[in-house]
Amino acid sequence: MDRLTLYIGNKNYSSWSFRPWIALEGCGVPFQEVLIPFDFEAGNPDIRAVSPTGKVPMLVHGGFKVWESLAIIEYAAELFPEVGLWPGDRQARAIARSYGMEMLAGFSALRGACPMNMRRPTGRRLDLPQGVMDDVARIETIWREARDRSGGPFLFGAFSAADAMFAPVVSRFEIYDLVSSADTLDYMATMKALPAWQKWEKAALEETWIVGVDEA
């Protein structure tokens, strides 16, 4: 089988890159990583040589290209059904995908006010816009319901793509000091204990690129 190559952006900032990266790494899918840094607000034109959208992430498999986080995860799940990127139970799998799509399409207030920035000193913004805490409450409800249903420790028992889709939110909740409930903090600690998480975070903290618009 041709090698999978995943093109990503800055690990400190790129939430969209983080999702498929931690899904593949956390589930044991073999791939090669290529990081194209976005070290200025307009991005990096070099990605256009790889990606038709001019954005990351981008998965290349032989000469075939797949873009957008969830599409990349789905493609890898079909290539490697044995690694369990999605839950095995049909109904659980449908719910996991629903959560993934909700994360993909929603929570704009949280995204806008609290961009992913793993190097940011921890502390809540004093000027959080309306809607941020509503987004936080909905995500906490998703996590609580999923873990109550599955028994944990991850959303559907074992680590899966559903957890990967929420990985940047775990970082946001911690860095911007947005949550305090014991069950939420327990899930966040479970995610942060993943070797894949720690590998990404270590690299993110060592980066030196600064993108001003993401320094909220």
Side-chain angles (χ1 to χ4, degrees), residues 143 147 152-154 181-192:
W143 292 356
R147 294 176 83 213
F154 294 97
S181 66
D183 57 344
T184 298
L185 294 174
D186 181 72
Y187 174 64
M188 291 166 60
T190 298
M191 285 289 287
K192 287 177 60 63

Side-chain angles (χ1 to χ4, degrees), residues 9-29:
N10 308 32
K11 289 183 175 178
N12 185 54
Y13 299 118
S14 185
S15 59
W16 295 107
S17 298
F18 192 18
R19 292 183 175 96
W21 188 96
I22 197 171
L24 302 186
E25 182 77 14
C27 288
V29 174

Side-chain angles (χ1 to χ4, degrees), residues 147-188:
R147 294 176 83 213
D148 285 349
R149 188 184 301 113
S150 71
F154 294 97
L155 298 182
F156 291 88
F159 175 78
S160 73
D163 302 287
M165 291 301 293
F166 285 101
V169 170
V170 172
S171 178
R172 287 178 166 107
F173 279 6
E174 178 184 41
I175 293 299
Y176 293 93
D177 191 22
L178 295 175
V179 294
S180 59
S181 66
D183 57 344
T184 298
L185 294 174
D186 181 72
Y187 174 64
M188 291 166 60

Side-chain angles (χ1 to χ4, degrees), residues 29-202:
V29 174
F31 69 99
Q32 177 183 9
E33 166 195 318
V34 177
L35 192 153
I36 300 179
F38 286 66
D39 52 356
F40 44 93
E41 292 185 13
N44 188 330
D46 290 346
I47 191 62
R48 291 198 176 276
V50 178
S51 170
T53 66
K55 298 177 181 179
V56 289
M58 162 65 63
L59 184 74
V60 179
H61 181 207
F64 183 68
K65 297 180 178 181
V66 186
W67 56 100
E68 299 293 346
S69 298
L70 197 54
I72 290 170
I73 289 170
E74 290 284 9
Y75 184 74
E78 291 189 16
L79 283 178
F80 300 93
E82 71 279 3
V83 305
L85 274 163
W86 292 111
D89 177 78
R90 181 174 58 190
Q91 292 186 350
R93 190 163 60 249
I95 294 170
R97 284 174 167 145
S98 296
Y99 288 157
M101 286 302 300
E102 187 174 353
M103 182 69 252
L104 193 69
F107 310 117
S108 57
L110 175 64
R111 295 178 195 274
C114 304
M116 193 174 89
N117 183 348
M118 288 184 161
R119 292 196 308 259
R120 181 184 186 273
T122 300
R124 183 175 296 198
R125 288 184 55 178
L126 299 179
D127 58 341
L128 284 177
Q130 185 175 3
V132 170
M133 296 313 295
D134 291 337
D135 286 352
V136 170
R138 171 57 187 157
I139 293 168
E140 286 193 280
T141 297
I142 288 172
W143 292 356
R144 186 176 303 114
E145 289 179 348
R147 294 176 83 213
D148 285 349
R149 188 184 301 113
S150 71
F154 294 97
L155 298 182
F156 291 88
F159 175 78
S160 73
D163 302 287
M165 291 301 293
F166 285 101
V169 170
V170 172
S171 178
R172 287 178 166 107
F173 279 6
E174 178 184 41
I175 293 299
Y176 293 93
D177 191 22
L178 295 175
V179 294
S180 59
S181 66
D183 57 344
T184 298
L185 294 174
D186 181 72
Y187 174 64
M188 291 166 60
T190 298
M191 285 289 287
K192 287 177 60 63
L194 272 173
W197 177 289
Q198 294 172 3
K199 182 177 179 180
W200 177 282
E201 184 178 50
K202 180 178 184 295

